[in-house]
Each structure stands twice: as C-alpha cells, then as structure tokens.
C-alpha cells in the first residue's frame, strides 16, 4: 500500500506514474495534494498580506490574493486528473446518493477533471463556453432535460 511518506518523496516523473488504484481506497491527504501541486509548480503561496507591496496573485475579479492554485498544470496529467476526480467522486456520493446525469465544468484547465468525474458517475460531461467578453457563461449546444441532475464543477 502506498503511504503518505511515499507520495511526499516523489518527484514529477514518479508522480506521473501514480494510478488511482495505488491508493487502495484510502483518501489522498492534504499534505499529498499540496506536494503534487507544489511539485508541478501549480500552487503559489506568498508570505504576508496580499495587499502589501510584495509578490501576490492578481485575480480576474481585480482582487488580490496571497495564494493561487493553477490547476491546469496538474490536471493536464491524465493520471492525476483521474486520481483527483475519484477523490471528488467518493466525497460526492457520500453527500448525494442519487444518480447524476451531467457533470458540467469550465473549459480549459478543469476539462480533464470534468471528463474523469463524469466517467465515475457514468454521466455526460460538458464544458461551459465563453461569451464575447471571455466569461464562462454560455450554454448553447447541449440541452439538459427537465429532471436531470447536474453536478457543476468550478
């Protein structure tokens, strides 16, 4: 069985070889998630106040943050997208025990996560399209029928 200390000692090449089944039905720990995202350069945490004159992330909203998670850098790795999707799946079915027909999420970085999550639910996966201003708000090509359950990922 793969232990937390095993995962925390892995470099990018070894993390790329991980499989969902390596975790033998145990949940991934927060430390493991932080390690994966940090190893792939996807977790940016800056010391101090986000309003201070130091390095920090400027969000799309115009707000400032002393941390940012650039998930695309991890989710582009299909094995890791599958592992994280399975973690979300396990937690979701504990909270919601009815069938889910659709898994809908944002385009780009989260697309692999949406795809894998839909596989676990045996559901349709779809991505929200961007409007003229580049905002992910449009839904034109597919129809969700009345009564169908939808899981929205963001």
């Amino acid at each position: 069985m793969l232990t937390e200390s095993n995962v925390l000692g892995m470099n990018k090449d070894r993390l790329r070889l991980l499989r969902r089944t390596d975790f033998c039905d145990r949940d991934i720990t927060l430390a493991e998630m932080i390690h994966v995202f940090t190893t792939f350069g996807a977790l940016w945490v800056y010391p101090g106040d986000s309003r201070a004159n130091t390095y920090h992330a400027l969000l799309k909203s115009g707000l400032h943050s002393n941390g940012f998670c650039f998930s695309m850098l991890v989710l582009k790795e299909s094995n890791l997208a599958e592992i994280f999707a399975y973690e979300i799946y396990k937690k979701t079915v504990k909270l919601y025990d009815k069938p889910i027909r659709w898994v809908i999420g944002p385009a780009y970085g989260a697309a692999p996560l949406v795809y894998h999550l839909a596989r676990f639910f045996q559901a349709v996966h779809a991505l929200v399209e961007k409007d003229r201003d580049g905002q992910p708000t449009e839904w034109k090509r597919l129809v969700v029928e009345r009564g169908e359950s939808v899981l929205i990922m963001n």
Side-chain angles (χ1 to χ4, degrees):
M1 179 170 155
L2 189 65
T3 66
E4 180 182 70
S5 61
N6 295 138
V7 175
L8 297 180
M10 292 181 178
N11 62 18
K12 270 188 193 181
D13 291 335
R14 181 61 185 101
L15 290 169
R16 286 183 174 119
L17 298 175
L18 279 176
R19 297 290 171 252
R20 178 176 52 90
T21 54
D22 292 336
F23 290 90
C24 298
D25 295 327
R26 75 169 178 88
D27 291 339
I28 295 174
T29 67
L30 178 60
E32 289 170 326
M33 286 187 246
I34 290 171
H35 175 71
V36 169
F37 278 78
T38 301
T39 301
F40 280 88
L43 184 62
W44 309 336
V45 180
Y46 306 97
D49 186 346
S50 63
R51 293 168 293 164
N53 195 14
T54 62
Y55 290 110
H56 62 276
L58 180 59
L59 305 175
K60 239 181 174 177
S61 65
L63 297 175
H64 299 256
S65 174
N66 62 349
F68 184 74
C69 181
F70 189 18
S71 62
M72 182 187 299
L73 297 177
V74 170
L75 299 177
K76 68 184 172 78
E77 306 291 338
S78 60
N79 67 313
L80 298 175
E82 179 183 16
I83 289 167
F84 286 115
Y86 193 66
E87 290 296 309
I88 293 168
Y89 169 78
K90 290 187 301 184
K91 288 172 179 38
T92 303
V93 295
K94 287 179 184 175
L95 299 170
Y96 185 81
D97 64 353
K98 296 180 177 90
I100 291 178
R101 175 71 179 122
W102 291 82
V103 177
I104 300 173
Y108 307 115
L113 186 69
V114 171
Y115 165 77
H116 287 291
L117 191 55
R119 280 185 38 235
F120 295 124
F121 280 109
Q122 296 180 328
V124 176
H125 73 281
L127 305 174
V128 175
E129 299 171 37
K130 299 211 177 212
D131 65 16
R132 289 184 191 143
D133 298 324
Q135 297 301 313
T137 57
E138 295 192 331
W139 185 260
K140 293 180 179 179
R141 300 176 200 208
L142 300 170
V143 175
V144 175
E145 299 295 333
R146 179 178 219 96
E148 290 185 318
S149 57
V150 177
L151 175 62
I152 298 175
M153 295 297 305
N154 192 4

